[in-house]
Amino acid sequence: MALKERLDQDLKAAMREKAQLKLDTIRMLKSAIKYREIELMKPLDDAGVLSVIASEIKRRRDSVEQYRAGNRPELAEKEEREIALLQGYLPTQLSEDEVRAKVDEAVAKVGAQGPKDMGAVMKALLPEVQGRAEGKVVSDLVKARLSGK
């Protein structure tokens, strides 16, 4: 089943269950997907929807940090519950060791020698880990690998 169809079904279920947080989160996600479709002027496939979900999770993580810094724990907890709901739509996440193995494969494939080759490694690696690993984690592991740490 396509992700958009699954979102529609989950939206209906949340309405029936009167699960307000889930309902609000799915509505927000559907809105973000629609905005991206308008921006690109074409419907999104599952990979596009996954990238929207990942960006929404990133946005919420940033909000959690801001709320914690501003001493607003109740808002931070709400954002964390939304993150948990959104992560349910992502494929199974890769462990750090699995990502490290993929980084090593990409470095060997590209023939990277040092930090200047980071862009080429990331370009080769991102399609493989898209939606299955957070971009910052991947970037940090590539940086560490290329700098010899």
Side-chain angles (χ1 to χ4, degrees):
M1 172 185 337
L3 270 173
K4 286 200 238 178
E5 294 170 7
R6 184 172 160 210
L7 284 169
D8 288 337
Q9 288 180 350
D10 289 352
L11 181 71
K12 291 174 189 171
M15 284 181 192
R16 275 188 233 107
E17 298 164 5
K18 295 184 178 20
Q20 196 60 47
L21 180 71
K22 187 174 186 178
L23 183 64
D24 292 344
T25 304
I26 293 172
R27 281 181 174 159
M28 169 280 315
L29 181 57
K30 286 178 62 70
S31 173
I33 291 168
K34 192 67 179 167
Y35 276 117
R36 182 72 57 86
E37 287 177 338
I38 290 169
E39 183 181 302
L40 298 174
M41 294 192 290
K42 66 176 184 172
L44 291 178
D45 58 356
D46 278 355
V49 173
L50 286 175
S51 73
V52 171
I53 294 171
S55 67
E56 290 298 318
I57 289 173
K58 184 178 187 302
R59 184 174 294 143
R60 273 162 188 68
R61 285 202 173 114
D62 292 342
S63 295
V64 167
E65 288 176 26
Q66 294 295 318
Y67 288 140
R68 294 242 187 263
N71 200 21
R72 298 293 308 264
E74 70 283 356
L75 293 174
E77 289 172 18
K78 178 183 180 282
E79 295 287 327
E80 287 171 341
R81 289 194 306 271
E82 288 179 3
I83 289 170
L85 278 171
L86 291 171
Q87 284 177 330
Y89 293 102
L90 293 176
T92 306
Q93 299 294 294
L94 297 172
S95 71
E96 192 170 321
D97 290 335
E98 291 171 318
V99 174
R100 197 171 275 120
K102 295 231 182 250
V103 166
D104 291 340
E105 287 174 24
V107 167
K109 181 176 157 187
V110 172
Q113 301 298 317
K116 65 179 176 16
D117 297 322
M118 184 169 173
V121 173
M122 291 297 287
K123 186 175 182 180
L125 186 61
L126 282 180
E128 291 184 38
V129 299
Q130 189 78 38
R132 297 174 37 204
E134 197 171 319
K136 182 169 176 19
V137 172
V138 174
S139 174
D140 290 346
L141 288 173
V142 169
K143 218 177 276 177
R145 171 71 166 80
L146 291 177
S147 65
K149 292 179 185 174

